[in-house]
Amino acid sequence: MYPRVGLARKAGRMSRKVHDRVLLKLIGRYLRAGVMVDGILQPSTEGTMQGGPLSPLLANILLDDFHKVLEQRGLRLVRYADDFLIFVRSERAARRVFDSVERYLTGTLKLVVNRDKSCICRTAGVEFLGYQFHGFGGQIRVSPKSLKKFKQRAKEILTRNRGISMRQRFRELRLYLRGWIDYFVLEQRKSFTLTLDKWLRRRVRACYWSNWRLPRTRLKKLQALGVPHEESYPPAHSGKGPWRLSTTSGVHQALSNTWLQSQGLFTLEERWSELAPKRRTA
C-alpha cells in the first residue's frame, strides 16, 4: 500500500495530531519540494517520495483513522507504519474483510493498494518486518530474506581486499551484529543463533587465512599460535581455498573459539540469551 493522497488532505490530517506550526510548515515544504526525474525537476501534487525518511511517519499518521475503524469492528490488527496484518478465523471472512478494507483505503483515505504485497493467506509462512510466522501457533523466526541479507553484509565486512585491519573489521562486525540481534531477538530458537555463530567463526577464519596469503606466512602464523609443525605444514601449503581450509584441525586449533572472542568477535548467542528472557516475560 502506498500513500497517494492529496497534499492538502494529508496536511489537514496531520494538523490533528501535530500542533507545532513550525514543524507543519517544514513538512509542507518537504511535500511540495518536487522530485527529480531524469535530471528534470517535477512538481509534487500528491503523495510522498517512496523510500524517503518522512514517508513511513506520514503514513503512520494517515492510517490512524483506519486503525481505529478496524478496532471498532473487533478485528485483530498488527501495524507498523504503512505495513499491517489483519487476522481472521476463516478464508471467507478474510475475503470479506479484504474487500471492505480496500474500499475504505481507496475510497475514504484515497490510497493506492499495492496488489503485489497484499494477499489473503494462512498465517504460516507470512513475512512481516523481517520475521516469518511458522506453525499453527505462529512461531516467530527470522525470514529467509533477512538471513540472506545478514550473510551478505557479514561477508562484505570480512572481505579480504578492503585494506583494513582485523581489529577494524571486528569493530564494524560487532556494531552490525549487535544491532541485528537486538532487532531479531524475537527469534525463538537458540539453536538458530548457535548456527549463525558457527558460520561467522568459519567466515572469520577464512578471512584470516586470506590475509596471510603466502604459505610461509601461514606456516609461521599457525606455529606462533601453538600448532605443531606436522599439523600446520599441510594446510599452509595446500592449494585449496580459504573457505575449505577454514575447517581443518590446524586452523581450528590456532584460531579457536576462545582466541577469536579474545580478539573481539561478537557472539550472537550470548546477546540473544541476555535479551530473550526479558522479552518473553514482559
Side-chain angles (χ1 to χ4, degrees), residues 84-101:
F84 58 85
L85 300 176
I86 302 173
F87 298 93
V88 295
R89 294 184 180 276
S90 67
E91 182 178 351
R92 183 178 179 182
R95 296 190 180 280
R96 183 180 68 250
V97 171
F98 186 95
D99 293 339
S100 175
V101 166

Side-chain angles (χ1 to χ4, degrees), residues 26-269:
L26 181 62
I27 293 174
R29 288 180 175 178
Y30 180 91
L31 293 174
R32 293 187 293 271
V35 294
M36 296 294 293
V37 180
D38 296 328
I40 301 176
L41 180 63
Q42 301 287 343
S44 300
T45 58
E46 62 178 4
T48 59
M49 180 180 65
Q50 292 303 308
L54 194 58
S55 179
L57 175 62
L58 297 183
N60 195 40
I61 295 174
L62 188 63
L63 288 173
D64 187 58
D65 291 346
F66 165 72
H67 198 141
K68 291 178 179 178
V69 168
L70 292 187
E71 288 180 339
Q72 291 171 0
R73 296 181 184 179
L75 294 171
R76 294 175 294 172
L77 172 72
V78 176
R79 178 166 72 95
Y80 183 84
D82 58 348
D83 290 327
F84 58 85
L85 300 176
I86 302 173
F87 298 93
V88 295
R89 294 184 180 276
S90 67
E91 182 178 351
R92 183 178 179 182
R95 296 190 180 280
R96 183 180 68 250
V97 171
F98 186 95
D99 293 339
S100 175
V101 166
E102 186 176 34
R103 286 195 300 269
Y104 182 85
L105 293 175
T106 57
T108 304
L109 297 184
K110 308 300 180 183
L111 301 176
V112 176
V113 177
N114 186 339
R115 282 288 183 173
D116 293 334
K117 295 183 179 179
S118 304
C119 65
I120 297 173
C121 60
R122 295 183 179 275
T123 304
V126 169
E127 294 187 13
F128 186 62
L129 302 178
Y131 284 97
Q132 188 177 65
F133 297 99
H134 284 261
F136 180 76
Q139 295 179 351
I140 301 176
R141 299 180 183 178
V142 176
S143 72
K145 291 181 181 178
S146 299
L147 180 59
K148 183 178 179 180
K149 290 180 180 179
F150 168 84
K151 290 189 174 182
Q152 287 176 342
R153 179 56 182 153
K155 288 179 183 178
E156 290 174 2
I157 295 174
L158 294 171
T159 299
R160 68 175 183 177
N161 295 324
R162 299 180 63 221
I164 62 175
S165 66
M166 287 300 298
R167 184 179 296 274
Q168 177 63 24
R169 284 193 176 95
F170 279 141
R171 190 156 39 237
E172 292 183 23
L173 192 62
R174 186 185 310 114
L175 291 173
Y176 174 69
L177 296 179
R178 186 183 181 94
W180 191 88
I181 196 60
D182 281 8
Y183 179 81
F184 285 107
V185 70
L186 294 178
E187 162 67 51
Q188 298 172 318
R189 299 166 297 168
K190 182 178 181 179
S191 60
F192 176 79
T193 60
L194 292 172
T195 300
L196 279 187
D197 278 331
K198 182 178 180 180
W199 179 87
L200 282 167
R201 288 191 295 267
R202 184 178 178 183
R203 181 60 59 184
V204 169
R205 291 183 180 110
C207 183
Y208 270 109
W209 201 250
S210 297
N211 288 341
W212 292 342
R213 297 186 183 180
L214 298 177
R216 63 174 180 271
T217 303
R218 292 172 174 176
L219 182 62
K220 181 179 179 181
K221 292 289 186 180
L222 290 177
Q223 291 180 341
L225 289 170
V227 183
H229 179 80
E230 60 273 14
E231 292 186 39
S232 59
Y233 189 89
H237 291 80
S238 174
K240 296 177 182 178
W243 182 248
R244 179 75 175 272
L245 290 170
S246 62
T247 62
T248 60
S249 60
V251 176
H252 260 268
Q253 184 178 341
L255 307 177
S256 65
N257 297 356
T258 303
W259 187 85
L260 291 177
Q261 284 188 264
S262 70
Q263 299 304 301
L265 180 60
F266 185 86
T267 305
L268 291 171
E269 186 275 328

